[in-house]
Amino acid sequence: MGVTDILSRKSGVIVGEDIYNLFKHCQKHNFAIPAVNVTSSSTIIACLEAAKAAKSPIILQISQGGGAFFAGKSINNANQEASVAGAIAAAHFIRAVAPIYGVPVVLHTLDATKPLLQDPRRTSLLVTYDRSIRGRCHIQHRHNSEISQASAPMKQWLEMEIGITGESVDNNSLYTQPPDILNVHNELSKISQYFSIAAAFGNVQVFTCALSHDLSNLVKLKFFWLETWQRPSPPRAALQTPRKPVFFVFHGGSGSEVEEFKTAISYGVVKVNVDTDTQYAYLEGIRDYMLGKKDYVLAQVGNPEGQDKPNKKYYDPRVWVRECEKTMTKRVLRALEDFNAEGQL
């Protein structure tokens, strides 16, 4: 049985119960879905192309900065106008084109800190996304409940971040404690089943930290924490919960080995954030193209083949932007393979 067998909507943006069923299917069949930060129609297409080729679902995320970029960097974003408009525009674009790629797509917002969640325009963003608000670690439990209560009627997903995950920091408190997981899980379960938890098990941004620290001493991924968190106290049997009651999210995975991802997935991780690696992959396309075609892009006319030879076919944005899409698609395909998501449709 594949993903499309358990979804009411087989392709395009899925919502509500379909997302819950998708994540349960991930746990049952031991795979996770990469969640890629997208900032433009081009990066969106690269991800959709990879998902289509791999016959896999995909998660597309828009951050505050990504939304502002989608709307245009010339817009003053002091009141979040560009972020909101850009995120909504990106969601509409994805909804329009995703069905023709024939894969299920989950839309996701990113870095929804408390001040941003209190913005009155949040409602329009949520209705457009039909997916999630991600709560940061410093948001109090009471506020989490308020967010969940607002989202539950629409069956929108809440991703709760507890601890330091995916940040470029050197801190001794990199591990979420079991009581915190239990408290959040119990509190949100009273309101809705549509939530996941991004807990800290040493998963900081590896490459950024490595610039100024000894990597081996800084980052220690402790996957046994994930197994511990899936065994809450009191015992699971008393709670009558399933074998993997928590949907876990893996932040800050750049630089992790494939076996480390597979271990995390075996303990209930259903979503792995991917950003740093795909950003670099996108760069590789234009970098290699421009270096290889240097003598053909220095002027509109004139190249090694003749001073009167036109260069339009080399500097046309459709050419070199496409090269970026190709290299990013290749990297997303690798993530889909690494997370066992390939061929899951």
Side-chain angles (χ1 to χ4, degrees):
M1 178 179 290
V3 167
T4 54
D5 295 317
I6 53 98
L7 298 180
S8 61
R9 182 177 296 172
K10 312 301 181 182
S11 64
V13 175
I14 64 173
V15 299
E17 194 72 21
D18 273 345
I19 295 173
Y20 179 85
N21 291 335
L22 173 61
F23 286 162
K24 291 304 294 183
H25 191 80
C26 287
Q27 288 187 333
K28 181 178 179 180
H29 295 275
N30 213 41
F31 72 96
I33 307 171
V36 187
N37 286 14
V38 291
T39 57
S40 64
S41 60
S42 179
T43 54
I44 290 168
I45 288 168
C47 294
L48 292 175
E49 185 174 340
K52 179 182 179 181
K55 296 181 174 59
S56 166
I58 191 77
I59 301 174
L60 303 181
Q61 315 193 125
I62 304 287
S63 67
Q64 177 193 13
F69 185 84
F70 202 96
K73 292 296 288 183
S74 65
I75 303 299
N76 188 326
N77 199 36
N79 64 354
Q80 306 302 321
E81 180 181 6
S83 291
V84 173
I88 292 174
H92 282 305
F93 176 77
I94 293 168
R95 286 178 176 277
V97 301
I100 64 176
Y101 284 83
V103 297
V105 178
V106 177
L107 286 178
H108 203 297
T109 58
L110 188 67
D111 292 333
T113 55
K114 185 174 181 178
L116 297 179
L117 290 171
Q118 292 174 326
D119 192 305
R121 292 165 296 183
R122 175 172 65 92
T123 301
S124 62
L125 184 61
L126 294 183
V127 170
T128 307
Y129 268 71
D130 277 329
R131 173 59 181 97
S132 76
I133 319 166
R134 174 178 163 202
R136 299 285 290 189
C137 58
H138 59 269
I139 299 178
Q140 299 176 350
H141 291 326
R142 178 183 58 80
H143 192 62
N144 296 335
S145 296
E146 294 173 358
I147 299 168
S148 185
Q149 288 169 355
S151 305
M154 294 179 282
K155 295 185 177 181
Q156 290 178 319
W157 202 269
L158 172 66
E159 181 180 308
M160 179 59 200
E161 182 177 336
I162 311 173
I164 301 172
T165 65
E167 303 291 347
S168 304
V169 296
D170 183 2
N171 192 290
N172 292 325
S173 300
L174 296 176
Y175 308 100
T176 306
Q177 299 304 304
D180 294 328
I181 299 288
L182 183 61
N183 289 339
V184 170
H185 186 271
N186 287 349
E187 181 179 342
L188 296 182
S189 293
K190 298 174 185 176
I191 303 168
S192 169
Q193 64 180 349
Y194 305 109
F195 68 91
S196 53
I197 295 177
F201 52 96
N203 44 324
V204 298
Q205 288 289 7
V206 173
F207 288 136
T208 308
C209 292
L211 296 177
S212 57
H213 297 280
D214 179 353
L215 186 60
S216 63
N217 292 329
L218 176 63
V219 180
K220 299 292 184 182
L221 293 175
K222 298 184 178 180
F223 295 103
F224 70 85
W225 280 106
L226 294 171
E227 183 181 23
T228 299
W229 295 327
Q230 293 285 21
R231 293 186 282 105
S233 178
R236 183 168 53 244
L239 295 175
Q240 296 183 338
T241 57
R243 178 172 170 266
K244 297 177 183 177
V246 183
F247 294 122
F248 280 126
V249 178
F250 191 159
H251 289 182
S254 295
S256 297
E257 299 295 332
V258 174
E259 287 307 312
E260 291 177 317
F261 286 122
K262 293 186 184 300
T263 299
I265 291 168
S266 72
Y267 293 140
V269 167
V270 297
K271 171 179 177 279
V272 182
N273 282 14
V274 180
D275 183 31
T276 307
D277 293 339
T278 49
Q279 285 181 338
Y280 190 76
Y282 193 86
L283 165 69
E284 288 179 312
I286 188 170
R287 179 199 67 193
D288 295 346
Y289 178 81
M290 290 300 175
L291 289 175
K293 301 295 184 182
K294 177 183 175 182
D295 293 333
Y296 293 82
V297 296
L298 293 176
Q300 286 184 286
V301 178
N303 59 50
E305 298 174 24
Q307 294 183 351
D308 60 344
K309 295 292 184 179
N311 294 321
K312 187 179 186 306
K313 66 179 180 180
Y314 299 105
Y315 63 75
D316 187 330
R318 291 173 293 183
V319 176
W320 46 266
V321 170
R322 178 56 184 158
E323 295 303 312
C324 298
E325 292 172 358
K326 289 178 181 178
T327 49
M328 183 173 174
T329 295
K330 184 177 179 180
R331 183 61 185 85
V332 176
L333 275 167
R334 178 179 152 193
L336 291 166
E337 180 181 352
D338 290 347
F339 306 158
N340 296 329
E342 186 178 22
Q344 292 289 349
L345 291 188

